[in-house]
Amino acid sequence: MNNKNRISKRIDNYSQWYQDIIDVADLAEHGPVKGTMIIKPYGYAIWENIKKILDNEIKKTGHKNVCFPLLIPKSFLSKEASHVEGFAKECAVVTHYRLKNDKKGNIAVDDSAKLKEELIIRPTSETIINNSFSKWIKSWRDLPVLINQWANIVRWEMRTRPFLRTSEFLWQEGHTVHISNKEAEKESQKMLKMYKTFVEKYLAMSVVDGEKSESERFAGADHTYTIEGMMQDGKALQSATSHNLGQNFAKAFNVKFIDKNEKTQYGWQTSWGMSTRIIGGLIMTHSDDKGLVLPPNIAPIKVIIIPVLKNRESDSKVLSFIKRKIKIGTSGVEIDSRINVSIGTKHYEWEKKGVPIRLEIGEKEMNSNSVLLFRRISSIGKPIKDRSSKKSIKITTLKEEIKKELKDIQSQLFENSKNYRINKTKRVDNWKDFVKEIENNNFVLAHWSGDKDVEDKIKQKTKATIRCIPFSEPKEDGLCVYSKNPSTQRVLFAKSY
Amino acid sequence: MNNKNRISKRIDNYSQWYQDIIDVADLAEHGPVKGTMIIKPYGYAIWENIKKILDNEIKKTGHKNVCFPLLIPKSFLSKEASHVEGFAKECAVVTHYRLKNDKKGNIAVDDSAKLKEELIIRPTSETIINNSFSKWIKSWRDLPVLINQWANIVRWEMRTRPFLRTSEFLWQEGHTVHISNKEAEKESQKMLKMYKTFVEKYLAMSVVDGEKSESERFAGADHTYTIEGMMQDGKALQSATSHNLGQNFAKAFNVKFIDKNEKTQYGWQTSWGMSTRIIGGLIMTHSDDKGLVLPPNIAPIKVIIIPVLKNRESDSKVLSFIKRKIKIGTSGVEIDSRINVSIGTKHYEWEKKGVPIRLEIGEKEMNSNSVLLFRRISSIGKPIKDRSSKKSIKITTLKEEIKKELKDIQSQLFENSKNYRINKTKRVDNWKDFVKEIENNNFVLAHWSGDKDVEDKIKQKTKATIRCIPFSEPKEDGLCVYSKNPSTQRVLFAKSY
C-alpha cells in the first residue's frame, strides 16, 4: 500500500501535483526501465472499465478483435515513406534471440544468436496488418474489413510522465479497409464520434473535435481527426485520433481488390486509437488538491461504505445491519471494514482515491434506519471544505438517492470540464492578443493562413501548436493572426502535452 | 475469408490435420516473423471467451489485475540462479532504441543508440514483479499480495506450431506473496483446482492433475503442479501450471516482511498461468475430420440460424418469421443470411467452424411453426455421417430444446474426452509393456524410483516424460519399471507436446 499523503497544490506546482495524485491514489509507479510504468490495481481497474465500455462500442459498430504479433521486421517500416519518417526515430530494436553465461559467469548477449533481420517492437501496427490485408483481400465482397486489437506499444520517448507519455503504453488500434474513399472517410468520422461520445459520457471530459493540420497529421494519413481536451493548467491533451489513410498503405503493401466493375483498385483505409494516455487526461481534468476525482460512470468503486466501528458487540450489529439493510442497486460498491484504522484515515484515503460517494454507518445511524452520505465533490462541483456537506438519508430511499447523486456528480463534472474550457477559450484577431492569451494558458481561436511556415513560426515563438481545425467553427473570412494573409477559418491553438 | 476446404484425416497425418483445422476454421495464420502467429477474429473470439470466464474466477478469489512492463533489464534475470538457467536461452534481446536512414537511403539500426544495459522481452514476469514486491511489502499486514496480469510473452522457440508453441503467446500470470509456506501451498493448489474446474466445465477437457517431477519443474519453483490433457494422438498437453515458489525469488529480490512476532522473514510465493496454448488443446481434444468442434460453453457462436432463401418474396417472409418468432434465449446466436451462397456451402462452413447447433428455417418450417435442428456431433458424440441426424422442433419448445441440446453436447464432449483418456491409460509393471504402451501412444501409470537419471534414460529410450505424479494415485509399494529400485507411487508417463 502506498502511504504517501502530501499533495502539492495545483497552483504551486502543477506538474508535481499530477505526480502526487498518481502516488496518493496508488494508480501507478515507475518501472525499472526508464520511461516505463507499472500500472497498479486501482489504476488498472480504471483501464479495465475504459476497455470494457470501448470494446463494446467497437464491437457494436461491427469490428472484430484480432491479435497481431508484437515484433515487426525492420524492412516493413520502410515501405511507407512518410510513415518511417514519423516512427523510425523511436523504436526498440531486437537484434539477438539468446543470452549466455560469459566467462565470468555473468549473463551476456550471445553474439552467435544475431538475427539476420532486426525486429522492431510495434510502435503502431499499420505495416504488419497491411501485410496481412494484402493476402486477405481479393474482391469487393471481402470488404469492408473491420478489425481492432488491444495491444501494448513501445515508442522510445525521451521525456516521459506516467500515463501521459511512457515508453510502453496500452491502447486499442482499429484498422479498416473499404471500397471507396467515401466509405473510409465515413468510418474515420464515425470512430472519432465514438471516442467523443465515450469521453463525454463516461469520463465527463469535454473535448473539441476537429481535423489536424498537415504537420500534425499521423505519419501516412491523408486526414487525421482528433479530440482535444483542456487540462486544468490550460494545456491541451490529444485524447484520441482517427485517420483516413487514403490508399497510402494500400499502395505500399499492395492491398488491392477487384471492384464491382471488375477493375483492380487499391483499398481505402482507416486506423484509429485510444490509449492509457486518456487516464492522464482523466486525472488532470477532474482531480483537485485533495486527490483524485473520478466520474461515477468510470470509477472502479462508486460507493464506499465505512462502518463506524467501536467494540466487538456493537461492530457485529452494525456490520450485520449493513449486510441486511443497505441495498445500493449498483455495481462498484465496497465496504471498508478494516479494524485498527481510524474512520478519519479511511475517509481521507477514499477521498484521495476519488470515490464519488462515501457512506458512514454507525450505531446511531442503525438505530434511526439511516446512513450518512458524503460526496467527493460538492453539489455545485466545488471541493468540499469540511464535513458539513454530509446528508442523512433514510435507508428506504437510499437506492434512489444514490442513483440521483451519482447522476448529479457525473453531470456536474462534465459541466465543470465544459465551462472551464469555454471560459478559457479566447477568440483573438491580432498577434499581441494571441501571445498574451497563450501566455495565460488559454485555448485560442484565431485565423491562420494555412501556411506550414507560419505554423512553425508561431510554435517557435509561443510554444502553441494547432490542436485542430474545429468542426464547430464556421467558414469565416479573415486575416492570419501572424502573417496577415487571407484565411477562411479560425483554428484552435494551444500549448499541449 | 479463408477458402481452404481440404482437411487431412487424423489417421493419415495428425500434424497436418491440426494445421488444416486451424486453416479451415480460420482461427489463425503464421506471422511474418518465424514462429509468430496472427490470431484471426474467430480464434480471438475463443480466447476472449476463455479470458472473460477465467478473469472472473481469478477476481472472485481476490486477485487484482495489474500491468507490468514488457521489457526487463538483463541483470534481473541473473538474480535467481535456476530461473536464468531455465529462461536465458530463449530471450528476445533489445539492444538499440533507434533506427536511422543509412547512406543508401535504407533503414538501419542507429549504432549511436545502443542501450547501456540490454533489455529482455519478458519470457515470464517473476523477476520484474519481485523487484516491485520488495518495495511494496513491509509488514505481515501487507500480505497476502494477490495480483494477476494478462500479457504477451516472448520465448524464442525453434520448433513452433500455432497455439501450441509460438515465439509470442498470450497468457495470464498470477503472482502472490504469503506469510507462510502453508498459505503459499494452499494458494498454488487452489489455483490449479481453478484451472481444472475451468477446463472441465467450459472446455470439456478431461485432465489429470498432479505434481511435476523435479526435472520438469518451473525454473525457480519448489513445487510445480500441472493439469495434463490427452490429445487424440495420445500425446499429453500441459494445459496450465501452478507453482509454489517457496522463498527462492523472495531471497533473490529481497522480498521481506516483519511477521506478527516482529521478526523479519522472506515472503512465501506462488505463480500460475494459462496461455493461448490451451486453444491448441481445445482443438486437438474435440475436433474431427470434418473440422473444428467447439463445446457450447466456450463457442463464440453456439447456434447458427440458416434461412433457406429462394426468392425475394419468400425470403422476406422467412427472415421476418425468424426475427419475430425464433427466440433462443442464449448469447452466441447468429443468422447467416448471405445471399448467393448456397445452403450446402453454409452448412459446410459452419461445420468446419465447429458451431454446436445449426438451425435451418425455410418456408416449409415457417408454415408448420417449426425449425430443423442439426447437431455438430451426434447424440452419442460420434461424427455425423449424413443429414439424417436432423430433428424437427416446434418453435414453442425451441428455447427449452436448445438449452437441452447444448447441455447434452457439452457433457457428451466431456465424456468423450474422459473416456478416451481413461481407455488409453495403462497400468504397467515391466519395461517391455512400458515400451509397448508408449509406442501405442498411451498414457502409462508405472512405478518410478524417483531417480532423475532413470527419468532421463526413459526419455532417451521412449521419448516419454513424467507428465505428473497424479494426486489421484494412492501410495503403493512397487518396483521402478526401469531400474527396479523401490518405489512408493505410480507416476504418469507419456509422450507430450
Side-chain angles (χ1 to χ4, degrees):
Chain A
M1 282 294 114
N2 191 309
N3 292 314
K4 181 169 176 178
N5 284 317
R6 220 182 139 275
I7 304 172
S8 303
K9 285 195 195 325
R10 281 164 289 182
I11 202 167
D12 296 337
N13 188 341
Y14 188 83
S15 160
Q16 186 58 48
W17 166 81
Y18 175 72
Q19 185 59 54
D20 289 346
I21 297 293
I22 289 169
D23 292 342
V24 299
D26 210 16
L27 299 174
E29 65 185 38
H30 293 290
V33 176
K34 198 177 162 294
T36 63
M37 162 177 72
I38 295 159
I39 310 181
K40 299 181 81 175
Y42 196 56
Y44 199 75
I46 296 173
W47 180 241
E48 281 186 308
N49 281 354
I50 290 172
K51 210 169 150 177
K52 196 165 122 190
I53 300 159
L54 212 50
D55 190 62
N56 191 35
E57 292 299 321
I58 290 168
K59 283 175 177 156
K60 271 204 308 206
T61 41
H63 305 85
K64 303 210 170 194
N65 284 343
V66 295
C67 178
F68 275 78
L70 176 75
L71 298 174
I72 300 178
K74 191 189 66 177
S75 59
F76 278 30
L77 265 78
S78 31
K79 290 195 180 180
E80 211 290 322
S82 61
H83 190 66
V84 70
E85 274 307 307
F87 285 102
K89 301 254 152 68
E90 38 178 2
C91 289
V93 188
V94 176
T95 54
H96 293 75
Y97 57 85
R98 201 188 302 133
L99 297 175
K100 61 169 187 183
N101 288 316
D102 66 12
K103 283 172 190 165
K104 290 177 193 162
N106 291 324
I107 187 166
V109 176
D110 186 342
D111 286 327
S112 73
K114 195 172 187 313
L115 289 165
K116 275 185 194 153
E117 182 182 357
E118 295 89 353
L119 304 173
I120 309 305
I121 300 182
R122 61 182 162 220
T124 182
S125 301
E126 275 77 7
T127 59
I128 195 165
I129 290 180
N130 269 279
N131 184 60
S132 281
F133 281 162
S134 70
K135 288 178 261 173
W136 295 356
I137 297 164
K138 307 281 174 213
S139 146
W140 63 270
R141 288 184 189 82
D142 300 325
L143 300 179
V145 172
L146 307 171
I147 62 172
N148 176 64
Q149 72 177 6
W150 292 91
N152 51 348
I153 292 293
V154 172
R155 295 178 186 173
W156 211 267
E157 302 284 355
M158 283 302 144
R159 294 196 306 180
T160 59
R161 303 178 71 184
F163 295 113
L164 293 174
R165 196 175 295 276
T166 47
S167 302
E168 183 191 5
F169 58 86
L170 306 179
W171 79 354
Q172 60 66 220
E173 47 180 326
H175 296 271
T176 70
V177 192
H178 306 265
I179 55 162
S180 67
N181 190 29
K182 198 179 149 193
E183 293 292 313
E185 180 61 23
K186 211 170 115 186
E187 167 83 4
S188 61
Q189 298 267 1
K190 180 164 86 178
M191 300 324 284
L192 190 80
K193 184 94 186 163
M194 176 194 74
Y195 291 132
K196 185 166 187 275
T197 307
F198 169 73
V199 298
E200 289 180 350
K201 193 169 159 192
Y202 293 92
L203 308 185
M205 290 171 67
S206 173
V207 290
V208 183
D209 53 345
E211 181 171 355
K212 286 284 184 192
S213 63
E214 193 184 339
S215 63
E216 299 278 332
R217 235 178 245 156
F218 175 75
D222 280 357
H223 300 277
T224 287
Y225 303 106
T226 180
I227 51 172
E228 304 277 328
M230 181 190 267
M231 305 296 103
Q232 290 180 69
D233 59 353
K235 283 191 190 167
L237 185 86
Q238 178 180 305
S239 302
T241 50
S242 180
H243 316 291
N244 180 341
L245 302 172
Q247 297 179 309
N248 301 324
F249 285 94
K251 284 177 180 166
F253 286 87
N254 212 25
V255 180
K256 286 189 219 171
F257 69 98
I258 312 280
D259 68 16
K260 287 186 185 179
N261 303 318
E262 304 265 314
K263 285 194 176 149
T264 300
Q265 58 167 307
Y266 290 106
W268 299 88
Q269 306 189 312
T270 81
S271 68
W272 27 274
M274 179 177 272
S275 76
T276 36
R277 181 172 220 221
I278 197 70
I279 297 176
L282 180 70
I283 295 167
M284 289 206 292
T285 301
H286 305 299
S287 302
D288 59 26
D289 291 348
K290 295 186 165 195
L292 186 66
V293 172
L294 289 177
N297 289 355
I298 208 70
I301 305 173
K302 291 182 176 64
V303 178
I304 183 79
I305 300 174
I306 303 180
V308 185
L309 302 175
K310 271 184 182 173
N311 55 56
R312 215 175 268 185
E313 197 193 341
S314 160
D315 294 358
S316 80
K317 275 188 210 158
V318 169
L319 290 170
S320 151
F321 172 76
I322 292 173
K323 210 173 161 189
R324 284 179 299 112
K325 299 284 187 175
I326 304 299
K327 307 288 174 204
I328 311 285
T330 174
S331 61
V333 178
E334 287 193 13
I335 303 177
D336 181 355
S337 51
R338 284 176 295 169
I339 46 172
N340 297 329
V341 177
S342 77
I343 196 150
T345 302
K346 286 183 183 180
H347 278 185
Y348 189 43
E349 274 186 33
W350 295 112
E351 181 177 62
K352 286 189 292 179
K353 283 182 171 277
V355 173
I357 290 177
R358 287 177 288 151
L359 299 181
E360 193 176 299
I361 306 169
E363 265 193 324
K364 194 179 142 199
E365 283 72 41
M366 180 179 74
N367 293 332
S368 61
N369 270 313
S370 67
V371 306
L372 279 183
L373 181 147
F374 300 80
R375 287 168 51 127
R376 176 62 179 80
I377 59 161
S378 76
S379 53
I380 50 160
K382 289 271 158 25
I384 288 171
K385 289 217 177 87
D386 52 38
R387 292 179 63 191
S388 63
S389 68
K390 69 187 175 193
K391 205 166 154 183
S392 174
I393 297 178
K394 288 283 168 198
I395 60 166
T396 46
T397 61
L398 185 59
K399 209 163 154 177
E400 207 178 304
E401 286 282 340
I402 295 270
K403 199 174 162 187
K404 215 183 69 187
E405 292 283 359
L406 290 173
K407 204 176 154 192
D408 185 69
I409 292 168
Q410 183 74 28
S411 66
Q412 192 67 60
L413 287 172
F414 179 67
E415 287 304 314
N416 286 355
S417 162
K418 192 170 148 193
N419 293 336
Y420 187 76
R421 177 175 61 77
I422 289 172
N423 291 335
K424 278 177 72 69
T425 301
K426 311 293 175 183
R427 303 176 88 81
V428 307
D429 290 305
N430 65 68
W431 181 244
K432 201 182 138 200
D433 289 350
F434 184 96
V435 172
K436 189 187 81 186
E437 297 302 354
I438 291 293
E439 267 174 9
N440 289 338
N441 299 312
N442 289 317
F443 276 17
V444 171
L445 285 164
H447 276 282
W448 167 61
S449 57
D451 188 335
K452 198 183 165 310
D453 286 348
V454 169
E455 195 181 356
D456 288 346
K457 273 182 191 136
I458 293 175
K459 187 175 177 182
Q460 279 167 32
K461 284 178 192 286
T462 65
K463 289 185 185 161
T465 51
I466 297 175
R467 301 317 304 156
C468 69
I469 305 157
F471 294 147
S472 60
E473 280 301 302
K475 291 281 164 198
E476 176 194 281
D477 286 332
L479 298 179
C480 173
V481 74
Y482 183 80
S483 70
K484 291 183 184 157
N485 286 331
S487 151
T488 57
Q489 195 184 353
R490 287 176 192 270
V491 301
L492 183 69
F493 286 92
K495 288 186 271 189
S496 73
Y497 281 92
Chain B
M1 281 291 114
N2 192 309
N3 292 313
K4 181 169 175 177
N5 284 317
R6 223 183 136 272
I7 304 172
S8 303
K9 285 195 194 325
R10 281 164 289 183
I11 203 167
D12 296 337
N13 188 339
Y14 189 83
S15 162
Q16 186 59 47
W17 166 81
Y18 174 72
Q19 184 59 53
D20 289 347
I21 297 293
I22 289 169
D23 292 342
V24 299
D26 210 17
L27 299 175
E29 65 184 36
H30 293 290
V33 176
K34 196 176 162 295
T36 63
M37 161 177 73
I38 295 160
I39 310 180
K40 299 182 81 175
Y42 197 55
Y44 199 76
I46 296 173
W47 180 241
E48 280 184 308
N49 281 354
I50 291 172
K51 210 171 150 176
K52 197 165 119 189
I53 299 159
L54 212 51
D55 190 62
N56 190 37
E57 292 299 321
I58 290 168
K59 282 175 178 156
K60 271 205 308 207
T61 40
H63 305 84
K64 303 210 171 195
N65 284 343
V66 294
C67 177
F68 274 76
L70 176 75
L71 298 174
I72 300 179
K74 190 188 67 179
S75 59
F76 278 30
L77 265 80
S78 30
K79 290 196 181 180
E80 212 289 320
S82 60
H83 190 67
V84 70
E85 273 309 307
F87 285 101
K89 300 255 152 66
E90 39 179 1
C91 288
V93 188
V94 176
T95 55
H96 293 74
Y97 57 85
R98 199 189 301 134
L99 298 174
K100 62 170 185 181
N101 289 314
D102 68 10
K103 283 172 190 167
K104 292 177 192 162
N106 291 325
I107 189 167
V109 176
D110 186 342
D111 287 327
S112 73
K114 195 172 188 312
L115 288 165
K116 274 182 194 155
E117 182 182 356
E118 295 89 352
L119 304 174
I120 310 306
I121 300 182
R122 60 182 163 219
T124 182
S125 302
E126 276 76 6
T127 59
I128 195 166
I129 289 181
N130 270 279
N131 184 59
S132 281
F133 280 162
S134 70
K135 287 178 263 174
W136 294 358
I137 296 164
K138 307 282 174 211
S139 147
W140 63 271
R141 289 186 187 84
D142 300 326
L143 300 178
V145 172
L146 307 171
I147 62 171
N148 176 64
Q149 72 176 4
W150 293 91
N152 51 347
I153 292 293
V154 172
R155 296 179 187 173
W156 211 267
E157 303 283 357
M158 283 301 144
R159 294 196 307 181
T160 60
R161 304 178 72 185
F163 295 114
L164 292 174
R165 196 175 293 276
T166 46
S167 302
E168 182 190 4
F169 59 85
L170 306 180
W171 80 355
Q172 59 67 221
E173 48 179 326
H175 297 270
T176 69
V177 192
H178 305 265
I179 56 164
S180 66
N181 190 30
K182 197 179 152 196
E183 293 293 311
E185 181 60 24
K186 211 170 114 186
E187 166 82 6
S188 61
Q189 298 267 0
K190 180 164 85 177
M191 299 325 283
L192 190 80
K193 183 97 186 162
M194 175 194 75
Y195 291 131
K196 184 165 187 275
T197 307
F198 168 73
V199 298
E200 289 181 350
K201 191 169 159 192
Y202 293 93
L203 308 185
M205 290 170 67
S206 174
V207 290
V208 183
D209 53 345
E211 182 170 354
K212 287 282 182 193
S213 64
E214 192 183 339
S215 65
E216 298 278 333
R217 233 179 248 159
F218 175 74
D222 280 357
H223 300 276
T224 286
Y225 303 107
T226 179
I227 51 173
E228 303 277 328
M230 181 189 267
M231 305 297 102
Q232 291 180 66
D233 58 353
K235 282 192 191 167
L237 185 85
Q238 178 180 304
S239 303
T241 50
S242 180
H243 316 291
N244 180 343
L245 302 173
Q247 297 179 309
N248 300 325
F249 285 94
K251 283 177 181 167
F253 286 87
N254 212 25
V255 180
K256 288 188 216 172
F257 68 98
I258 313 280
D259 69 16
K260 286 187 186 179
N261 304 318
E262 306 267 313
K263 283 195 178 149
T264 300
Q265 59 169 305
Y266 290 106
W268 299 88
Q269 306 190 311
T270 81
S271 67
W272 28 274
M274 178 176 273
S275 77
T276 36
R277 179 171 221 220
I278 196 71
I279 296 176
L282 179 70
I283 296 167
M284 288 205 295
T285 301
H286 304 298
S287 300
D288 59 26
D289 291 348
K290 296 187 164 194
L292 187 66
V293 172
L294 288 177
N297 290 355
I298 208 69
I301 304 172
K302 292 181 174 62
V303 178
I304 184 77
I305 301 174
I306 303 180
V308 185
L309 301 176
K310 273 182 177 174
N311 55 56
R312 214 175 271 184
E313 198 192 343
S314 160
D315 294 357
S316 80
K317 276 187 210 160
V318 169
L319 290 169
S320 152
F321 172 76
I322 292 173
K323 210 173 160 188
R324 283 180 299 113
K325 300 282 187 178
I326 305 300
K327 307 288 174 204
I328 311 284
T330 173
S331 60
V333 178
E334 286 193 14
I335 303 178
D336 181 356
S337 51
R338 284 176 295 168
I339 46 173
N340 299 328
V341 178
S342 76
I343 197 150
T345 303
K346 286 183 185 179
H347 277 185
Y348 189 44
E349 273 186 33
W350 296 112
E351 182 177 64
K352 287 188 292 178
K353 283 182 171 280
V355 173
I357 290 176
R358 287 176 289 150
L359 299 181
E360 193 175 297
I361 306 168
E363 264 192 324
K364 192 180 145 199
E365 284 71 41
M366 180 178 74
N367 292 333
S368 62
N369 271 313
S370 67
V371 307
L372 279 182
L373 182 146
F374 300 81
R375 287 168 51 126
R376 177 62 180 81
I377 58 162
S378 76
S379 53
I380 50 160
K382 289 272 155 34
I384 289 170
K385 288 218 178 89
D386 52 38
R387 292 179 64 191
S388 63
S389 67
K390 71 186 173 193
K391 202 167 155 184
S392 175
I393 296 177
K394 288 284 168 197
I395 61 167
T396 46
T397 61
L398 184 59
K399 209 164 152 175
E400 206 178 307
E401 285 283 342
I402 295 273
K403 199 174 160 187
K404 214 183 69 187
E405 292 284 358
L406 290 174
K407 205 177 153 191
D408 184 70
I409 293 168
Q410 183 75 28
S411 67
Q412 192 67 60
L413 288 172
F414 179 69
E415 286 305 314
N416 286 355
S417 162
K418 193 171 147 190
N419 293 336
Y420 187 76
R421 176 174 62 76
I422 288 171
N423 291 336
K424 278 178 71 69
T425 300
K426 311 292 176 187
R427 302 177 87 81
V428 307
D429 290 306
N430 64 68
W431 181 242
K432 200 180 142 205
D433 289 348
F434 184 96
V435 172
K436 189 189 79 187
E437 297 301 353
I438 290 292
E439 266 174 10
N440 289 339
N441 299 313
N442 290 318
F443 275 15
V444 171
L445 284 165
H447 276 282
W448 167 61
S449 58
D451 189 334
K452 200 183 163 312
D453 285 349
V454 170
E455 195 181 357
D456 288 346
K457 273 182 190 138
I458 293 176
K459 187 176 175 179
Q460 278 167 33
K461 287 180 190 287
T462 64
K463 288 187 186 162
T465 50
I466 298 176
R467 301 318 303 154
C468 68
I469 306 157
F471 293 147
S472 59
E473 280 302 302
K475 291 280 163 200
E476 176 193 283
D477 286 331
L479 297 178
C480 175
V481 74
Y482 184 80
S483 69
K484 292 182 183 157
N485 286 331
S487 151
T488 57
Q489 194 184 355
R490 288 177 191 269
V491 301
L492 183 69
F493 286 92
K495 289 186 272 190
S496 73
Y497 281 92

